[in-house]
Amino acid sequence: MALEMTTDTESAMDTTISAPPAVSAEGETLKMRGRDVKVFYGDKQALHGVDLDVRKNQVTALIGPSGCGKSTFLRCLNRMNDTIDICRVEGDILLDNDDVYDPRIDVVELRARVGMVFQKPNPFPKSIFENVAYGPRIHGLAQSKADLEEIVASSLQRAGLFEEVKDRLDEPGTGLSGGQQQRLCIARAIAVSPEVILMDEPCSALDPIATAKVEELIDELRQNYTIVIVTHSMQQAARVSQRTAFFHLGTLVEEGLTNDIFTNPKDQRTQDYITGRFG
Amino acid sequence: MIDIAQDTAGSAIGGRVKGIPSGVHTTDEARKRLKKRYSMEARFKAYGIGAIAMAATFLVLLLFTIVGTGLPAFTYNYVSVPLNLSSEKVDPANPAGASYNKIIRDGLKAELPFASDRKNRRVLYSLVSSGANVILQKQVVADTSMLGGTGPVAIPLSDFADLYVKGLITQKNEITTTSAATVSGTEGQVTITAEKPEFGALIAALKSYYENEVTLLSDKIEARGRSEVSVNTKITGLETRLKSEKDPLVVQRLTAEVESNREALEKIKSTLETRKAELAVLQGHLANIENGGTLNNKMPSFFVNVNGGTIKAEKVTPTSVSGTAFIPLSSDAAVAAGQWGVEELETPESFRKFSDKEIAYTDYLVSKGTIENQWNSIFFKSGASREPEMAGIWGAAVGSFWTMLVTLSLSFPIGVAAAIYLEEFAPKNRWTHLIEVNINNLAAVPSIVFGLLGLAVFLNVFGLPRSAPVVGGMVLALMTLPTIIIASRAALQAVPPSIREAALGVGASRLQAVFHHVLPLAMPGILTGTIIGMAQALGETAPLLMIGMVAFIVDIPANPVDPSTVLPVQIFMWADFPEPAFQQKTSAAIMVLLGFLISMNAIAIVLRKRFERRW
Amino acid sequence: MFWTYAALLLLVFVAANVYGRFRALQVAGHQLSVLHSRPTYHGGYLAILSTLPAFVLLIAWAVVEPRMLDMMVISANAEVIEGLSKPELQAFLRDARAIAFGGIVAFSDAGKEQAAEVFASLAQTSFVLKSVLMVGLVLGGLWYGNRAIRPTMRARHFVERTVMGLLILCSAVAIFTTIGIVLSLIFESLMFFRQIPILDFVFGTHWSPQSAFEGAGAEHGEANTKIFGAIPLLVGTMLITAIAIIVAAPIGLLSAIYLSDYASTPVRAIAKPVLEILAGIPTVVYGFFAALTVAPFIRGWGESIGLSVSSESALAAGLVMGIMIIPFVSSLSDDVINAVPQSLRDGSAGLGATKSETIRRVVLPAALPGIVSALILAISRAIGETMIVVMAAGLAANMTVNPLEAVTTVTVQIVTLLVGDQEFDSAKTLAAFALGLLLFCITLALNIFALRVVKKYREQYD
């Protein structure tokens, strides 16, 4: 089944790749577009038709109270919801011009292009080197051992971790501190050279200093990657993101420039949330 | 570990990773790699499916073999003959004292009057079970209304006759005939002459037999020829050495060697001669085979059924067969086409333990409609016996029952009590830790070691009786104890602490809280674990061998200290018996045992499903 | 006799229980509130006090009495018994008992009659003594308990302490079992090593105990020490175990992986019971299957390609044993594979790994210690397995690693040495215990090691 799929995909992609990228009203390239996204867990509907664009080389923050569907939406973007048996997704999500839920789209390729960093740092129980080398290895990105070493070192540098771990690359990744582990996971994600990085509350398990470092890193990564971040903390959203989307009860209430959302929300619910009336 | 020059330009945090161009995942190359990865994925998945399929195949194969061999043993064939049970044969006052053997033999003789000489009669008598008289005696004693006249009584066949009727001794093929035939007589040597060549199948069998013999013999001759050559070479070699040898001792040795080799050569030559002569004879037969020949017992047997009689083919020509009439013909009249037939018994007589004559007699009884297939009640009602047709599983089943009773009454209370203590009361100290480690290790001790414990402690130190279910039960109780303790602890653990707190909160003591509230809630889980443990114990064999439950015991044990055996041990013993009928018995006993085990496990599953509670 | 007394004690137990309740109500003047413990506990108090000591006495008597009687009979008939060998002495006592108490007497003579008389009179004395003591204990308990019942008495505490004592006793049974196993094995093995040097046993390469008493020295029961070498048995055991693991490890492991990460619910609903049924089949059935079907099949297959295969080949036994431990491997591996946290699988999937890549490169390495210990437990199970090898493997102790030849194992030899008639002191019988000790030590070491690994591994993800 998988074999037939890839051959079809090729032709499908060939036609789409040449199409011009979608552009927003302001002239910014739209990396990903969600249109009327609905998600069901069994009989329960978790998302009620969300339309949301993700702009290229910007950080988009998804905020909202617990259970509002922001993580669910995030996991739709690289089809991590596929791992949950009872989960069903409707609507369109486009990466450039490809519908990621098109049956002809290959999920492995999608996830290589749309990487993910999780809430709790989850380094593999392997050495630091092997953790970062994992992605390049499975995708066959390195031609030689030297290539691989270069990619690993470079990824760790880009993740701002290289200086801290360069002398102990063969020690287990699980032995690092929480903040270092999360940056290791980021290094692991960028080693695959994704186009988009999804971050699901990446700092919620970290202390303030580690959080600051990761936030700094996110800001730096923005130049080369498109980032979508789910966060509980409005301060974090304000600090790292250019655009913010506010979710409530499975719907997208409001989306706009982060500054506008925080200073001048259009919707009463957003107002209530950012002023701390609920959450 | 990594030795790369720091590149100043690209080392900025947040930059693109060096060495990988952007869009690398949508290149053709990447797609090609992906294709490979997916075929790997498919292969891996196939391995998984293969593994499951293999396990399932093993199971199906095992069950299929067991059921296939065991199923026939659930029924048994009886021959129903009128027996004279009048008062002159059986004294109504003392029915047990009569000679039932004679009564049965007389009955059989009346059925097959033509089997009159001693040899034939012995064949006839061997068709019924050698224990038939005992069974008849029991039947008569139990039901005296059978006495006082002549009536048909069902008598169990011998084990081989039973197997034959079930089709397990040889395959039978009917060969239809298309022309009329004449017979030369009704008894003794009879020749059947058909109008057309009807006996091609017999000749074909004869031919393939001779061909096979010729091949075998030729191979032998060839091998002999080779050794002849090699011995010759050896002799030549030795003689050459002899010529150049000076040392008298060596000369002497070599001469002796040459001598012995010469002798060997002579022998080889003479055998070769005889073999070659034999081969010539065989080839002579083979050349002439289309005209017929003599059949022997190393090839399939053939019966000709004509005029109600059966003739065993001994000599055959394309149009005639002659041989002994095992069952006499009713007349020597000519028969029309289609009114007579030939029967092939595929397994040669010398390869089976049921002779052609026995087959002919059994077929005769079958054709008279006197043989009936009944539910094999002997198998379920009797104890062990050396005679396969008299052996049953009841003794072993009762032994298993007593053993399980002892096991359950020991392991259940002790196991539950231990679990309660360890889970609810035990302080966390070294002593309880030791007990826990101990229980885990006991669960993995080989069962045979428990048998050694039983032998050394229960039998030799405590002097308890050998082969007794009570000892077996004790050994199995020790063996199942860890299973029950572990399952009971899990069940107790699953009861939420709120229940205990609620009970303690209304002033119950800890013991009361456990016995009144926690234990009843944990009971389904405990029972499930107990049933699974008992199922294990029921199938266990090795430790019971150690304490002598492997003895041959005919009587049904009446209590837990009577010597007895248990089902799995009975299976083990039967599996070792050479009679083919015991193979069926073994499989049937396994089916009974598996039936018990499966129903026990099913009960456990139902129990778990029904009382499963989520907190 | 024992059961009669036990039944009587049960009656006393019930009666004392009822009376205790009544008595408690009486002393409280039928006002429940003045009682410290509920009447039920007073009943239990009285019942325990009256029957427990007598019950302990009854059991102790049952264990000690036969031994005491034997000793006393022997000392009373010293002149008759003199010169009898141990088995003869046992037969003598057995017959004397049979004459005295009824039973099947092999043959009788004056000496035995005399001994039987002693037996009968001693048994009579013992019976009277036991009865008097038990009645005394019961009455004493009743009297004391009856006096002690009063409103302030903490009957519940007494009952609960007794029950707790019972619970502790029950949980100590596991310890007693282990001690029993270790002591009995060591004790018998020491007797064996007194006859056969331990080094000859552990490092000897020749095993043929059936010839132990042939030739010179047979008269005195002195066994040839060079025929009890355990190495061939260990080699055979290892060979069969290795074949079993080669069959079971890949099938069990791949099944576990498939079931935990790939299978849809309906597939799991069929495959799991298949494995459970395989696990529930008694080993004797596997043995029969091996001997009836697999061994002839392998033999026929070998002959068809021109190999000579023994009809009791190690391959047949190993193959079937492998089938037997498939469910063992798969359920243990299933546990450890499921214990690998989902976050690791997600992390790998999030990087674009396929399922098999995730399993092979993340899940399996993470679960490796657990899988290794599962395999070790499976090996230990295979080493200790008896019935399959008894029925399908041979008796000849060949030192070979050729799976087509017949080999024998430790467990087969234990069974062969101990099944059937035996003298308890002969080197042949004792050798079985030495083998048992060897088996126990090997499996124990493997189990402890494996359980340690599992425990450590569990802690890693807790």
Side-chain angles (χ1 to χ4, degrees):
Chain A
M1 183 191 80
L3 282 172
E4 302 156 33
M5 203 161 79
T6 41
T7 46
D8 283 346
T9 320
E10 277 176 47
S11 54
M13 291 230 172
D14 286 342
T15 52
T16 47
I17 270 172
S18 51
V23 176
S24 73
E26 298 90 10
E28 289 164 319
T29 313
L30 298 179
K31 187 67 187 170
M32 297 193 81
R33 285 169 290 164
R35 290 288 172 269
D36 195 25
V37 178
K38 293 176 186 158
V39 178
F40 303 84
Y41 290 112
D43 297 332
K44 239 184 73 187
Q45 188 167 5
L47 278 185
H48 303 269
V50 170
D51 293 321
L52 181 66
D53 296 338
V54 176
R55 284 151 215 249
K56 195 173 178 186
N57 292 3
Q58 293 200 7
V59 179
T60 306
L62 312 182
I63 61 168
S66 304
C68 65
K70 53 191 190 303
S71 281
T72 303
F73 181 76
L74 187 79
R75 292 170 73 92
C76 289
L77 296 180
N78 73 343
R79 290 176 57 177
M80 279 304 283
N81 281 334
D82 287 13
T83 55
I84 303 164
D85 284 341
I86 54 165
C87 180
R88 187 161 52 86
V89 179
E90 287 176 9
D92 302 315
I93 295 173
L94 302 171
L95 169 63
D96 295 330
N97 289 314
D98 311 328
D99 183 353
V100 304
Y101 277 94
D102 188 316
R104 290 175 305 177
I105 279 285
D106 186 87
V107 67
V108 166
E109 186 189 307
L110 170 72
R111 287 183 191 152
R113 293 171 65 190
V114 182
M116 187 152 189
V117 175
F118 296 83
Q119 185 170 3
K120 226 180 108 196
N122 56 352
F124 301 136
K126 299 166 177 255
S127 70
I128 294 171
F129 181 87
E130 285 300 326
N131 259 287
V132 182
Y134 179 73
R137 270 198 220 273
I138 57 172
H139 292 293
L141 298 182
Q143 307 305 320
S144 63
K145 198 160 181 274
D147 263 7
L148 188 66
E149 286 174 355
E150 190 182 349
I151 292 173
V152 169
S154 170
S155 304
L156 286 168
Q157 276 161 8
R158 305 304 185 262
L161 192 63
F162 189 69
E163 289 304 318
E164 292 162 57
V165 300
K166 64 182 173 191
D167 300 325
R168 43 180 176 138
L169 287 175
D170 43 5
E171 283 175 26
T174 43
L176 296 173
S177 74
Q180 288 173 324
Q181 285 191 11
Q182 195 60 298
R183 277 181 286 148
L184 176 63
C185 291
I186 293 174
R188 192 175 70 185
I190 60 179
V192 183
S193 193
E195 295 156 37
V196 181
I197 302 176
L198 309 177
M199 297 188 175
D200 191 355
E201 303 190 27
C203 302
S204 66
L206 306 184
D207 61 63
I209 296 170
T211 303
K213 279 197 172 166
V214 173
E215 285 180 3
E216 209 176 299
L217 174 61
I218 292 171
D219 201 45
E220 302 282 356
L221 287 169
R222 171 166 75 91
Q223 298 149 20
N224 288 298
Y225 305 95
T226 305
I227 294 174
V228 184
I229 177 170
V230 163
T231 174
H232 239 90
S233 146
M234 281 169 288
Q235 288 81 355
Q236 188 171 64
R239 282 195 299 267
V240 301
S241 70
Q242 282 71 52
R243 298 188 73 89
T244 297
F246 173 63
F247 282 74
H248 185 55
L249 297 176
T251 55
L252 175 65
V253 174
E254 188 172 354
E255 191 267 351
L257 286 172
T258 301
N259 257 338
D260 292 350
I261 295 276
F262 279 95
T263 54
N264 188 18
K266 297 189 193 74
D267 195 287
Q268 184 60 39
R269 286 170 292 177
T270 322
Q271 170 93 37
D272 289 348
Y273 182 70
I274 59 175
T275 53
R277 297 260 174 90
F278 64 90
Chain B
M1 177 185 166
I2 296 185
D3 179 30
I4 319 165
Q6 289 265 12
D7 63 319
T8 42
S11 70
I13 290 174
R16 284 210 76 85
V17 173
K18 224 183 125 197
I20 310 176
S22 137
V24 68
H25 299 297
T26 47
T27 59
D28 285 349
E29 221 176 308
R31 297 259 156 82
K32 225 181 262 168
R33 279 198 302 269
L34 200 58
K35 216 167 168 179
K36 239 191 211 157
R37 287 167 65 194
Y38 269 118
S39 66
M40 189 69 165
E41 171 83 14
R43 224 175 311 147
F44 190 73
K45 204 172 163 182
Y47 292 151
I49 295 176
I52 299 261
M54 218 137 146
T57 314
F58 285 141
L59 179 66
V60 169
L61 199 68
L62 192 148
L63 294 181
F64 192 77
T65 320
I66 300 291
V67 173
T69 21
L71 217 45
F74 284 102
T75 57
Y76 205 81
N77 287 298
Y78 291 74
V79 58
S80 179
V81 284
L83 294 186
N84 183 0
L85 296 172
S86 61
S87 52
E88 60 200 77
K89 296 279 184 190
V90 185
D91 178 6
N94 178 22
S99 166
Y100 289 101
N101 225 351
K102 182 146 192 343
I103 295 175
I104 291 171
R105 290 183 171 188
D106 288 344
L108 283 173
K109 250 192 290 186
E111 282 294 298
L112 278 76
F114 47 82
S116 51
D117 67 6
R118 270 183 56 189
K119 232 166 102 189
N120 287 346
R121 247 187 269 159
R122 208 172 318 133
V123 172
L124 176 61
Y125 299 156
S126 76
L127 291 184
V128 296
S129 164
S130 57
N133 52 342
V134 182
I135 293 176
L136 181 63
Q137 181 197 35
K138 276 189 194 155
Q139 251 176 325
V140 170
V141 172
D143 177 15
T144 41
S145 70
M146 288 168 75
L147 291 177
T150 301
V153 179
I155 296 162
L157 289 178
S158 73
D159 51 336
F160 280 109
D162 173 63
L163 288 177
Y164 171 72
V165 176
K166 286 170 180 164
L168 296 170
I169 297 263
T170 171
Q171 175 88 27
K172 272 200 293 189
N173 302 319
E174 293 284 341
I175 302 162
T176 47
T177 53
T178 52
S179 63
T182 54
V183 286
S184 67
T186 60
E187 274 181 31
Q189 286 291 319
V190 179
T191 305
I192 308 139
T193 315
E195 283 178 356
K196 288 180 191 159
E198 293 279 7
F199 302 109
L202 279 71
I203 289 171
L206 209 51
K207 190 175 169 190
S208 87
Y209 168 76
Y210 280 125
E211 277 170 354
N212 196 23
E213 289 290 299
V214 165
T215 331
L216 285 179
L217 204 52
S218 315
D219 286 350
K220 272 186 202 159
I221 289 170
E222 210 176 301
R224 281 281 159 179
R226 273 199 301 275
S227 51
E228 186 185 5
V229 172
S230 79
V231 172
N232 255 330
T233 332
K234 207 170 169 191
I235 291 172
T236 332
L238 285 172
E239 279 171 341
T240 339
R241 271 179 67 193
L242 207 51
K243 271 175 202 153
S244 56
E245 192 58 58
K246 297 280 183 297
D247 187 342
L249 272 174
V250 177
V251 168
Q252 195 183 351
R253 187 170 57 81
L254 287 177
T255 325
E257 217 169 303
V258 168
E259 217 33 58
S260 74
N261 271 309
R262 287 231 166 91
E263 269 169 39
L265 190 63
E266 281 314 304
K267 227 179 242 168
I268 289 171
K269 276 183 176 158
S270 78
T271 359
L272 212 49
E273 289 302 308
T274 20
R275 288 276 150 82
K276 276 182 178 159
E278 282 170 22
L279 186 63
V281 174
L282 281 177
Q283 274 164 339
H285 281 306
L286 203 52
N288 228 355
I289 203 74
E290 297 307 331
N291 298 327
T294 311
L295 298 126
N296 63 31
N297 66 359
K298 290 195 185 66
M299 48 184 290
S301 302
F302 292 90
F303 286 167
V304 180
N305 295 318
V306 59
N307 286 345
T310 299
I311 298 148
K312 188 201 159 168
E314 282 156 8
K315 286 207 173 72
V316 61
T317 71
T319 54
S320 80
V321 158
S322 62
T324 319
F326 283 165
I327 311 289
L329 285 60
S330 54
S331 77
D332 55 4
V335 278
Q339 298 300 305
W340 61 288
V342 182
E343 211 173 22
E344 181 190 6
L345 308 174
E346 261 184 24
T347 314
E349 190 177 16
S350 60
F351 298 156
R352 55 181 138 88
K353 286 191 173 142
F354 199 58
S355 70
D356 283 343
K357 193 173 270 177
E358 284 170 310
I359 288 180
Y361 285 2
T362 314
D363 279 346
Y364 179 73
L365 287 172
V366 171
S367 70
K368 278 185 79 177
T370 53
I371 292 204
E372 48 195 61
N373 198 295
Q374 288 183 8
W375 180 247
N376 191 353
S377 55
I378 300 172
F379 178 65
F380 290 97
K381 280 186 191 156
S382 59
S385 167
R386 274 299 322 186
E387 302 295 325
E389 66 270 25
M390 302 294 291
I393 54 165
W394 182 239
V398 173
S400 271
F401 169 76
W402 289 124
T403 309
M404 287 302 108
L405 196 69
V406 174
T407 304
L408 182 65
S409 54
L410 285 175
S411 65
F412 181 68
I414 295 179
V416 174
I420 290 176
Y421 177 72
L422 291 174
E423 198 55 44
E424 302 285 337
F425 300 108
K428 292 277 165 275
N429 59 22
R430 287 178 65 182
W431 170 245
T432 48
H433 180 71
L434 183 69
I435 295 183
E436 271 173 47
V437 170
N438 227 299
I439 289 170
N440 283 336
N441 280 329
L442 272 187
V445 167
S447 60
I448 193 166
V449 172
F450 284 94
L452 290 174
L453 169 77
L455 174 59
V457 174
F458 296 149
L459 295 192
N460 290 326
V461 177
F462 290 162
L464 293 169
R466 266 177 84 84
S467 312
V470 65
V471 181
M474 283 160 76
V475 169
L476 293 181
L478 293 184
M479 214 190 74
T480 43
L481 210 51
T483 313
I484 295 182
I485 293 178
I486 291 168
S488 304
R489 290 190 65 178
L492 289 169
Q493 219 163 36
V495 178
S498 60
I499 302 277
R500 296 176 185 85
E501 283 156 12
L504 294 176
V506 296
S509 70
R510 280 173 72 194
L511 211 61
Q512 285 171 324
V514 169
F515 278 94
H516 296 171
H517 300 283
V518 179
L519 193 56
L521 290 173
M523 219 16 125
I526 293 175
L527 288 181
T528 310
T530 307
I531 294 174
I532 288 170
M534 296 310 288
Q536 258 174 31
L538 181 59
E540 196 54 69
T541 321
L544 302 180
L545 300 183
M546 300 289 95
I547 53 160
M549 291 193 86
V550 68
F552 182 78
I553 289 142
V554 180
D555 296 325
I556 312 291
N559 60 52
V561 287
D562 275 357
S564 73
T565 183
V566 294
L567 273 177
V569 177
Q570 185 73 76
I571 290 168
F572 168 64
M573 290 195 290
W574 278 351
D576 235 20
F577 286 169
E579 288 89 345
F582 269 119
Q583 246 176 41
Q584 267 95 39
K585 295 254 158 182
T586 313
S587 297
I590 287 175
M591 285 167 71
V592 173
L593 179 63
L594 285 182
F596 277 122
L597 291 179
I598 288 172
S599 26
M600 282 169 87
N601 281 307
I603 291 172
I605 289 169
V606 168
L607 207 62
R608 187 163 43 188
K609 281 263 156 65
R610 168 158 303 183
F611 293 100
E612 197 173 50
R613 203 190 287 237
R614 287 185 192 278
W615 302 95
Chain C
M1 186 70 82
F2 178 86
W3 293 108
T4 322
Y5 272 115
L8 282 176
L9 281 181
L10 188 68
L11 269 180
V12 172
F13 186 90
V14 173
N17 209 327
V18 173
Y19 174 73
R21 281 182 211 204
F22 167 75
R23 173 79 186 146
L25 281 173
Q26 202 183 30
V27 295
H30 292 275
Q31 272 191 300
L32 275 179
S33 53
V34 303
L35 283 175
H36 167 271
S37 307
R38 292 182 50 80
T40 329
Y41 287 104
H42 289 276
Y45 172 76
L46 197 58
I48 291 169
L49 219 50
S50 59
T51 54
L52 192 63
F55 187 64
V56 171
L57 179 80
L58 179 66
I59 289 181
W61 208 280
V63 172
V64 175
E65 189 194 25
R67 225 144 276 281
M68 291 288 288
L69 286 189
D70 282 358
M71 271 164 62
M72 288 161 93
V73 168
I74 289 170
S75 63
N77 295 280
E79 73 286 356
V80 185
I81 283 155
E82 219 180 339
L84 289 183
S85 70
K86 207 165 175 184
E88 281 172 325
L89 178 63
Q90 275 168 358
F92 177 85
L93 288 174
R94 201 163 45 232
D95 280 349
R97 261 172 195 285
I99 297 168
F101 309 124
I104 302 156
V105 185
F107 69 96
S108 169
D109 58 34
K112 282 179 186 170
E113 296 282 357
Q114 193 190 331
E117 266 170 43
V118 181
F119 252 128
S121 75
L122 280 176
Q124 187 65 29
T125 320
S126 155
F127 171 71
V128 172
L129 196 63
K130 179 166 79 170
S131 307
V132 167
L133 277 176
M134 280 182 65
V135 169
L137 281 173
V138 167
L139 290 182
L142 280 175
W143 173 76
Y144 179 83
N146 185 36
R147 243 185 29 154
I149 289 178
R150 66 180 85 93
T152 54
M153 212 257 304
R154 302 182 162 203
R156 202 193 71 208
H157 291 195
F158 178 83
V159 172
E160 290 195 342
R161 265 204 300 274
T162 314
V163 172
M164 193 62 87
L166 264 178
L167 294 185
I168 293 176
L169 196 69
C170 286
S171 59
V173 168
I175 299 266
F176 294 147
T177 310
T178 309
I179 293 174
I181 289 175
V182 170
L183 284 189
S184 60
L185 289 181
I186 288 183
F187 180 70
E188 309 290 348
S189 300
L190 280 181
M191 282 172 52
F192 174 68
F193 293 136
R194 219 174 287 156
Q195 297 182 29
I196 313 290
I198 185 164
L199 291 180
D200 282 356
F201 174 69
V202 178
F203 297 109
T205 54
H206 181 64
W207 176 269
S208 56
Q210 305 306 337
S211 59
F213 304 102
E214 286 163 11
E219 294 294 302
H220 311 288
E222 272 173 25
N224 178 356
T225 61
K226 297 293 178 197
I227 54 166
F228 286 102
I231 294 288
L233 308 189
L234 289 177
V235 170
T237 308
M238 291 305 147
L239 177 62
I240 291 182
T241 304
I243 297 169
I245 290 297
I246 288 170
V247 173
I251 298 184
L253 195 56
L254 286 170
S255 309
I257 290 170
Y258 186 79
L259 286 180
S260 66
D261 280 68
Y262 282 102
S264 59
T265 324
V267 171
R268 216 172 296 147
I270 297 171
K272 281 236 161 160
V274 164
L275 292 174
E276 276 167 20
I277 293 176
L278 273 181
I281 291 176
T283 53
V284 68
V285 178
Y286 281 112
F288 180 64
F289 179 62
L292 176 81
T293 312
V294 179
F297 174 78
I298 288 178
R299 205 183 142 89
W301 163 81
E303 270 168 10
S304 74
I305 59 167
L307 288 171
S308 84
V309 182
S310 159
S311 62
E312 293 175 324
S313 63
L315 188 58
L319 199 66
V320 174
M321 194 184 279
I323 298 174
M324 186 199 83
I325 56 177
I326 287 172
F328 198 70
V329 175
S330 82
S331 80
L332 285 174
S333 317
D334 200 30
D335 285 351
V336 291
I337 287 171
N338 278 326
V340 174
Q342 182 65 28
S343 70
L344 288 185
R345 291 186 169 88
D346 282 352
S348 175
L351 292 170
T354 62
K355 238 178 185 171
S356 67
E357 282 162 353
T358 303
I359 292 164
R360 279 184 294 124
R361 289 165 178 256
V362 176
V363 176
L364 287 186
L368 194 63
I371 291 172
V372 168
S373 66
L375 289 181
I376 292 173
L377 285 177
I379 289 173
S380 141
R381 167 71 59 106
I383 290 176
E385 169 47 40
T386 309
M387 291 322 292
I388 294 177
V389 280
V390 166
M391 295 170 82
L395 288 175
N398 296 325
M399 276 255 264
T400 175
V401 288
N402 178 359
L404 302 180
E405 275 181 47
V407 293
T408 191
T409 72
V410 175
T411 47
V412 171
Q413 290 305 319
I414 294 178
V415 170
T416 318
L417 292 173
L418 285 185
V419 168
D421 290 327
Q422 22 158 306
E423 293 168 64
F424 204 65
D425 295 344
S426 84
K428 245 167 82 181
T429 312
L430 293 174
F433 283 90
L435 288 177
L437 186 63
L438 194 66
L439 185 66
F440 182 74
C441 291
I442 293 173
T443 51
L444 188 70
L446 289 175
N447 291 335
I448 289 180
F449 177 68
L451 289 176
R452 280 250 164 115
V453 177
V454 167
K455 208 175 159 206
K456 262 210 182 127
Y457 165 78
R458 289 237 172 89
E459 280 162 1
Q460 190 187 332
Y461 289 114
D462 272 347

